[in-house]
Every structure is written in structure tokens, then in C-alpha cells.
Amino acid sequence: MKSLDALISAAVDHLAATRNAVALTGAGISIESGIPAFRGKGGLWERFDPMEIAHIDALVRDPARVWKLLVKDLKEIMDRAAPNDGHKGLARLEQLGILQTVITQNVDGLHQMAGNTDVIEFHGSFAWQRCMQCGRRVETRAVDASVLPPRCACGGVLRPDAVFFGEMIPPMALWRSQETTAACEVMLVVGTSAIVQPAASMPLIAKENGAVVIEINPEATPLTGVVSDILIPGKAGDIMNRILAQLENAR
Ligand code: NAD
Ligand code: ZN
């Protein structure tokens, strides 16, 4: 097995040679910002089944329950969260002219906050709430969550402008993700268990179109050794720092 240094050097060589890398990120990249993932240690799975509570049917049936168990806590955590070295590293890769686009499954807005300018929000955004009746959008920060579920001026229930299980991926996000993925030369897959579809098929599309696929994740995923060329085992912040130190050194 290759050493961590050798894996990082290999990733740096691929990144230094391209001006068209794309990143696919998942909940793992935001764990170091204090936002729990679904799966893995400390994940929300340990408390309840996200497929049930984050399903559109649960929201329609009992919005107060979904707000109480899931949305309110996430709002409090996300209102406070700031980008970590993983997000900042991807922003620096864009500044260096290497990374073009971030496709994220996260709804926390941290990539934009870190400075990436082309972020495809595959699962929508938690920064906004949408009225289930009139469609009006309200900033999540401005929502008073002391009475649940919070309501719009029209009386309709406010819901996160994010994609729940059982809902469609916004067509524009899906289309653009497929386009940028098919055209990229290197795909960085950071902090995703690569289980939730159709996001998990992006690395496959990249691979089939000749890209090098590099995973950053403390654990192996279904992509590892099958679709990805390299798995760099470790936390997003630490590994991104090491990659950037080597890249900037080489310039
Ligand atoms: P996931 O919860 O299924 O998997 C998280 C992955 O991150 C795991 O493979 C784990 O090994 C890895 N990981 C753990 N710590 C890490 C670290 N420090 N650095 C890098 N990787 C680390 O996440 P998923 O694949 O994104 O799928 C879950 C779905 O839940 C997504 O579709 C997303 O929309 C949603 N979600 C979003 C947020 C958020 O916006 N921050 C949080 C929870 C869930
Ligand atoms: Zn309304």
C-alpha cells in the first residue's frame, strides 16, 4: 500500500497538470465545521432514520414534527457554521485556476462562504425557506422558529428550499452537474459516502469520460478501487492543507 505522502503527491501531480478539475462534495466536508453528517460516527442516523424524517411524505404529513426533530436543530447549527480548511482549500484551488466547479450535496452554503464562485447545489439550499402555499421565499436566518412550524404571512407552512428524499433534483442542477462532470479532467470526491443517487453517479460519468477520480475520505466507499483511482484516507481539512502546501511549493 502506498504511503499517505505518496498518495498526496500523486494527487498533486494530477491537479498541477489540469485547469479543469471539478469537486463533488458531501456532508463529510462540513463535519469539521460542526455540522453532523447522516452516516458514520455522530451522524444523524444514530438518532433517527433520515430517509424517514427527511422524506417529503413526512414533511407533508406532519411539518411540525419534521421541524422539531430535524429542521430546527439544523437551523441553529447552520446559522453559526463557518467554512473549514476543506472548504477553504477548494476555494484556493479555484483561485489557482485549477478547480472550475463545485458540485455539492450539502445545503449549508459553506462553499460559497469560502469563496468558490461556481457552486452547483445539487440538493438545494438550507439558507432559504419556501412557503408551501404561495411559494414566497424567506431567508432562514430571518425565520422565527419559536413556534413550530414557522409560517408565511399567508398562513402557509415554511419549508427548507432543499431537496427532501422522494423529491426531484432541480433539473438545472442535474444537467449542469452532468455537463461539467463529463468535461472535467480531474474529479475530487470529498466527504461523500457515494450512496445517495443520482449524485453518486457523477464520479462514474467523470471516469467514463477519461477523468482521474480522487477521493478524500477517512473511510473507503463503494467507489473506492472501482471508480476512483486514488483514495486519500483522512479528514478533508488536513488533506486539503497538505495538497495545497505541496501545490503552492511547486509553483
Ligand atoms: P453521508 O452522511 O452519507 O457521508 C459522509 C461521508 O463523509 C462518509 O463517507 C464519511 O466517511 C465521510 N467523512 C467523515 N468525516 C469526514 C471528514 N472530516 N472529512 C472528509 N470526509 C469525512 O453524506 P453524503 O454522502 O453527503 O450524503 C448524505 C445526504 O445528506 C446528502 O445528500 C446531503 O444532501 C445531506 N446532508 C447535508 C448536510 C450539509 O449540508 N452539511 C449534512 C447532513 C446531510
Ligand atoms: Zn405564503
Side-chain angles (χ1 to χ4, degrees):
M1 224 177 75
K2 279 191 180 172
S3 71
L4 187 58
D5 282 342
L7 293 170
I8 286 171
S9 296
V12 166
D13 289 345
H14 289 299
L15 289 168
T18 186
R19 299 188 64 78
N20 190 6
V22 165
L24 172 70
T25 66
I29 197 172
S30 293
I31 289 177
E32 290 165 82
S33 293
I35 304 174
F38 278 172
R39 297 168 188 81
K41 273 193 223 86
L44 297 171
W45 275 119
E46 287 176 356
R47 286 193 279 152
F48 46 70
D49 178 355
M51 294 278 205
E52 194 274 314
I53 194 79
H55 197 285
I56 183 62
D57 293 346
L59 181 69
V60 169
R61 202 183 316 123
D62 192 349
R65 175 169 171 266
V66 172
W67 261 96
K68 215 165 96 200
L69 291 178
L70 179 72
V71 184
K72 190 169 190 283
D73 284 357
L74 282 181
K75 170 175 156 51
E76 274 160 21
I77 293 166
M78 284 188 196
D79 281 352
R80 288 194 308 262
N84 64 56
D85 287 349
H87 303 103
K88 289 178 195 163
L90 291 180
R92 182 71 186 134
L93 281 182
E94 178 182 321
Q95 275 181 357
L96 293 171
I98 294 169
L99 185 73
Q100 296 303 328
T101 301
V102 177
I103 303 167
T104 188
Q105 300 167 81
N106 298 341
V107 295
D108 54 33
L110 294 179
H111 289 299
Q112 294 92 321
M113 224 185 276
N116 281 109
T117 60
D118 188 25
V119 180
I120 301 175
E121 292 182 309
F122 208 80
H123 292 156
S125 166
F126 201 89
W128 292 85
Q129 301 289 322
R130 188 171 83 227
C131 173
M132 288 170 81
Q133 200 158 288
C134 74
R136 187 171 155 241
R137 290 167 90 242
V138 186
E139 248 190 299
T140 301
R141 278 175 200 274
V143 168
D144 173 10
S146 57
V147 179
L148 299 179
R151 289 180 187 272
C152 169
C154 82
V157 170
L158 293 174
R159 59 156 289 178
D161 205 7
V163 177
F164 278 55
F165 290 110
E167 290 191 295
M168 258 180 43
I169 303 300
M172 194 61 181
L174 181 57
W175 180 79
R176 275 213 69 224
S177 297
Q178 287 164 339
E179 294 284 301
T180 53
T181 295
C184 77
E185 293 175 336
V186 176
M187 173 166 264
L188 284 177
V189 182
V190 190
T192 174
S193 58
I195 289 171
V196 180
Q197 290 292 359
S201 63
M202 295 304 142
L204 193 66
I205 295 176
K207 182 79 178 175
E208 281 174 347
N209 285 278
V212 175
V213 177
I214 302 169
E215 281 186 276
I216 300 175
N217 197 314
E219 289 169 39
T221 75
L223 302 176
T224 309
V226 183
V227 173
S228 66
D229 298 277
I230 303 172
L231 165 69
I232 309 180
K235 295 186 173 179
D238 178 44
I239 302 295
M240 285 307 302
N241 283 343
R242 289 181 191 225
I243 287 176
L244 277 157
Q246 270 201 34
L247 257 177
E248 310 235 22
N249 233 341
R251 282 162 65 89

PDB file of all heavy atoms in Angstrom, residues 3-22:
ATOM      1  N   SER A   3       2.144   5.039   0.771  1.00  0.00           N
ATOM      2  CA  SER A   3       2.108   5.897   1.963  1.00  0.00           C
ATOM      3  C   SER A   3       1.218   7.102   1.689  1.00  0.00           C
ATOM      4  O   SER A   3       0.926   7.435   0.534  1.00  0.00           O
ATOM      5  CB  SER A   3       3.512   6.370   2.302  1.00  0.00           C
ATOM      6  OG  SER A   3       3.939   7.318   1.330  1.00  0.00           O
ATOM      7  N   LEU A   4       0.814   7.774   2.773  1.00  0.00           N
ATOM      8  CA  LEU A   4      -0.032   8.966   2.630  1.00  0.00           C
ATOM      9  C   LEU A   4       0.677  10.020   1.781  1.00  0.00           C
ATOM     10  O   LEU A   4       0.076  10.639   0.903  1.00  0.00           O
ATOM     11  CB  LEU A   4      -0.375   9.518   4.025  1.00  0.00           C
ATOM     12  CG  LEU A   4      -1.377  10.666   4.064  1.00  0.00           C
ATOM     13  CD1 LEU A   4      -2.691  10.276   3.410  1.00  0.00           C
ATOM     14  CD2 LEU A   4      -1.618  11.121   5.503  1.00  0.00           C
ATOM     15  N   ASP A   5       1.982  10.204   2.034  1.00  0.00           N
ATOM     16  CA  ASP A   5       2.751  11.190   1.251  1.00  0.00           C
ATOM     17  C   ASP A   5       2.716  10.869  -0.240  1.00  0.00           C
ATOM     18  O   ASP A   5       2.568  11.763  -1.068  1.00  0.00           O
ATOM     19  CB  ASP A   5       4.212  11.222   1.720  1.00  0.00           C
ATOM     20  CG  ASP A   5       4.350  12.017   3.017  1.00  0.00           C
ATOM     21  OD1 ASP A   5       3.420  12.794   3.335  1.00  0.00           O
ATOM     22  OD2 ASP A   5       5.375  11.851   3.703  1.00  0.00           O
ATOM     23  N   ALA A   6       2.850   9.581  -0.556  1.00  0.00           N
ATOM     24  CA  ALA A   6       2.864   9.185  -1.975  1.00  0.00           C
ATOM     25  C   ALA A   6       1.494   9.434  -2.599  1.00  0.00           C
ATOM     26  O   ALA A   6       1.397   9.875  -3.754  1.00  0.00           O
ATOM     27  CB  ALA A   6       3.250   7.717  -2.099  1.00  0.00           C
ATOM     28  N   LEU A   7       0.433   9.173  -1.854  1.00  0.00           N
ATOM     29  CA  LEU A   7      -0.927   9.395  -2.377  1.00  0.00           C
ATOM     30  C   LEU A   7      -1.155  10.894  -2.613  1.00  0.00           C
ATOM     31  O   LEU A   7      -1.735  11.293  -3.635  1.00  0.00           O
ATOM     32  CB  LEU A   7      -1.972   8.853  -1.399  1.00  0.00           C
ATOM     33  CG  LEU A   7      -1.997   7.325  -1.231  1.00  0.00           C
ATOM     34  CD1 LEU A   7      -2.885   6.928  -0.064  1.00  0.00           C
ATOM     35  CD2 LEU A   7      -2.490   6.665  -2.525  1.00  0.00           C
ATOM     36  N   ILE A   8      -0.685  11.708  -1.667  1.00  0.00           N
ATOM     37  CA  ILE A   8      -0.857  13.152  -1.815  1.00  0.00           C
ATOM     38  C   ILE A   8      -0.043  13.671  -3.002  1.00  0.00           C
ATOM     39  O   ILE A   8      -0.532  14.468  -3.802  1.00  0.00           O
ATOM     40  CB  ILE A   8      -0.510  13.869  -0.488  1.00  0.00           C
ATOM     41  CG1 ILE A   8      -1.653  13.609   0.508  1.00  0.00           C
ATOM     42  CG2 ILE A   8      -0.300  15.367  -0.696  1.00  0.00           C
ATOM     43  CD1 ILE A   8      -1.401  14.043   1.906  1.00  0.00           C
ATOM     44  N   SER A   9       1.176  13.186  -3.135  1.00  0.00           N
ATOM     45  CA  SER A   9       1.996  13.602  -4.286  1.00  0.00           C
ATOM     46  C   SER A   9       1.339  13.236  -5.611  1.00  0.00           C
ATOM     47  O   SER A   9       1.358  14.024  -6.558  1.00  0.00           O
ATOM     48  CB  SER A   9       3.383  12.946  -4.236  1.00  0.00           C
ATOM     49  OG  SER A   9       4.072  13.394  -3.118  1.00  0.00           O
ATOM     50  N   ALA A  10       0.747  12.056  -5.659  1.00  0.00           N
ATOM     51  CA  ALA A  10       0.079  11.627  -6.894  1.00  0.00           C
ATOM     52  C   ALA A  10      -1.086  12.567  -7.200  1.00  0.00           C
ATOM     53  O   ALA A  10      -1.273  13.001  -8.352  1.00  0.00           O
ATOM     54  CB  ALA A  10      -0.413  10.189  -6.755  1.00  0.00           C
ATOM     55  N   ALA A  11      -1.862  12.913  -6.172  1.00  0.00           N
ATOM     56  CA  ALA A  11      -2.986  13.835  -6.375  1.00  0.00           C
ATOM     57  C   ALA A  11      -2.481  15.199  -6.834  1.00  0.00           C
ATOM     58  O   ALA A  11      -3.053  15.814  -7.751  1.00  0.00           O
ATOM     59  CB  ALA A  11      -3.790  13.968  -5.087  1.00  0.00           C
ATOM     60  N   VAL A  12      -1.406  15.672  -6.222  1.00  0.00           N
ATOM     61  CA  VAL A  12      -0.841  16.977  -6.579  1.00  0.00           C
ATOM     62  C   VAL A  12      -0.385  16.975  -8.037  1.00  0.00           C
ATOM     63  O   VAL A  12      -0.620  17.942  -8.768  1.00  0.00           O
ATOM     64  CB  VAL A  12       0.326  17.342  -5.618  1.00  0.00           C
ATOM     65  CG1 VAL A  12       1.141  18.499  -6.156  1.00  0.00           C
ATOM     66  CG2 VAL A  12      -0.237  17.666  -4.234  1.00  0.00           C
ATOM     67  N   ASP A  13       0.236  15.895  -8.480  1.00  0.00           N
ATOM     68  CA  ASP A  13       0.676  15.811  -9.885  1.00  0.00           C
ATOM     69  C   ASP A  13      -0.507  15.955 -10.837  1.00  0.00           C
ATOM     70  O   ASP A  13      -0.440  16.688 -11.824  1.00  0.00           O
ATOM     71  CB  ASP A  13       1.386  14.474 -10.163  1.00  0.00           C
ATOM     72  CG  ASP A  13       2.754  14.425  -9.491  1.00  0.00           C
ATOM     73  OD1 ASP A  13       3.242  15.499  -9.069  1.00  0.00           O
ATOM     74  OD2 ASP A  13       3.303  13.310  -9.368  1.00  0.00           O
ATOM     75  N   HIS A  14      -1.596  15.258 -10.536  1.00  0.00           N
ATOM     76  CA  HIS A  14      -2.779  15.350 -11.406  1.00  0.00           C
ATOM     77  C   HIS A  14      -3.372  16.757 -11.381  1.00  0.00           C
ATOM     78  O   HIS A  14      -3.748  17.294 -12.426  1.00  0.00           O
ATOM     79  CB  HIS A  14      -3.850  14.335 -10.971  1.00  0.00           C
ATOM     80  CG  HIS A  14      -3.480  12.916 -11.280  1.00  0.00           C
ATOM     81  ND1 HIS A  14      -3.247  12.462 -12.565  1.00  0.00           N
ATOM     82  CD2 HIS A  14      -3.284  11.849 -10.473  1.00  0.00           C
ATOM     83  CE1 HIS A  14      -2.936  11.179 -12.530  1.00  0.00           C
ATOM     84  NE2 HIS A  14      -2.953  10.781 -11.275  1.00  0.00           N
ATOM     85  N   LEU A  15      -3.441  17.360 -10.197  1.00  0.00           N
ATOM     86  CA  LEU A  15      -4.045  18.697 -10.077  1.00  0.00           C
ATOM     87  C   LEU A  15      -3.180  19.758 -10.751  1.00  0.00           C
ATOM     88  O   LEU A  15      -3.697  20.671 -11.406  1.00  0.00           O
ATOM     89  CB  LEU A  15      -4.284  19.051  -8.603  1.00  0.00           C
ATOM     90  CG  LEU A  15      -5.421  18.263  -7.934  1.00  0.00           C
ATOM     91  CD1 LEU A  15      -5.399  18.459  -6.418  1.00  0.00           C
ATOM     92  CD2 LEU A  15      -6.782  18.689  -8.507  1.00  0.00           C
ATOM     93  N   ALA A  16      -1.879  19.631 -10.608  1.00  0.00           N
ATOM     94  CA  ALA A  16      -0.962  20.628 -11.194  1.00  0.00           C
ATOM     95  C   ALA A  16      -1.042  20.601 -12.717  1.00  0.00           C
ATOM     96  O   ALA A  16      -0.734  21.595 -13.373  1.00  0.00           O
ATOM     97  CB  ALA A  16       0.463  20.370 -10.728  1.00  0.00           C
ATOM     98  N   ALA A  17      -1.473  19.473 -13.273  1.00  0.00           N
ATOM     99  CA  ALA A  17      -1.472  19.312 -14.729  1.00  0.00           C
ATOM    100  C   ALA A  17      -2.805  19.694 -15.370  1.00  0.00           C
ATOM    101  O   ALA A  17      -2.973  19.535 -16.578  1.00  0.00           O
ATOM    102  CB  ALA A  17      -1.122  17.864 -15.074  1.00  0.00           C
ATOM    103  N   THR A  18      -3.765  20.163 -14.576  1.00  0.00           N
ATOM    104  CA  THR A  18      -5.065  20.480 -15.178  1.00  0.00           C
ATOM    105  C   THR A  18      -5.543  21.886 -14.835  1.00  0.00           C
ATOM    106  O   THR A  18      -5.144  22.458 -13.818  1.00  0.00           O
ATOM    107  CB  THR A  18      -6.161  19.463 -14.742  1.00  0.00           C
ATOM    108  OG1 THR A  18      -7.365  19.753 -15.466  1.00  0.00           O
ATOM    109  CG2 THR A  18      -6.445  19.547 -13.249  1.00  0.00           C
ATOM    110  N   ARG A  19      -6.364  22.428 -15.703  1.00  0.00           N
ATOM    111  CA  ARG A  19      -7.080  23.667 -15.411  1.00  0.00           C
ATOM    112  C   ARG A  19      -8.573  23.392 -15.402  1.00  0.00           C
ATOM    113  O   ARG A  19      -9.387  24.303 -15.453  1.00  0.00           O
ATOM    114  CB  ARG A  19      -6.731  24.758 -16.455  1.00  0.00           C
ATOM    115  CG  ARG A  19      -5.244  25.097 -16.455  1.00  0.00           C
ATOM    116  CD  ARG A  19      -4.912  26.290 -17.325  1.00  0.00           C
ATOM    117  NE  ARG A  19      -5.514  27.531 -16.871  1.00  0.00           N
ATOM    118  CZ  ARG A  19      -5.069  28.265 -15.855  1.00  0.00           C
ATOM    119  NH1 ARG A  19      -4.010  27.883 -15.164  1.00  0.00           N
ATOM    120  NH2 ARG A  19      -5.672  29.382 -15.527  1.00  0.00           N
ATOM    121  N   ASN A  20      -8.921  22.107 -15.388  1.00  0.00           N
ATOM    122  CA  ASN A  20     -10.344  21.754 -15.403  1.00  0.00           C
ATOM    123  C   ASN A  20     -10.662  20.614 -14.440  1.00  0.00           C
ATOM    124  O   ASN A  20     -11.004  19.513 -14.853  1.00  0.00           O
ATOM    125  CB  ASN A  20     -10.793  21.418 -16.836  1.00  0.00           C
ATOM    126  CG  ASN A  20     -12.310  21.284 -16.943  1.00  0.00           C
ATOM    127  OD1 ASN A  20     -13.034  21.542 -15.971  1.00  0.00           O
ATOM    128  ND2 ASN A  20     -12.787  20.855 -18.095  1.00  0.00           N
ATOM    129  N   ALA A  21     -10.519  20.930 -13.166  1.00  0.00           N
ATOM    130  CA  ALA A  21     -10.931  19.970 -12.141  1.00  0.00           C
ATOM    131  C   ALA A  21     -12.311  20.369 -11.632  1.00  0.00           C
ATOM    132  O   ALA A  21     -12.686  21.541 -11.651  1.00  0.00           O
ATOM    133  CB  ALA A  21      -9.929  19.952 -10.999  1.00  0.00           C
ATOM    134  N   VAL A  22     -13.069  19.366 -11.197  1.00  0.00           N
ATOM    135  CA  VAL A  22     -14.388  19.589 -10.606  1.00  0.00           C
ATOM    136  C   VAL A  22     -14.418  18.833  -9.277  1.00  0.00           C
ATOM    137  O   VAL A  22     -13.813  17.761  -9.170  1.00  0.00           O
ATOM    138  CB  VAL A  22     -15.503  19.089 -11.563  1.00  0.00           C
ATOM    139  CG1 VAL A  22     -16.840  18.967 -10.851  1.00  0.00           C
ATOM    140  CG2 VAL A  22     -15.633  20.012 -12.766  1.00  0.00           C
TER     141      VAL A  22
END
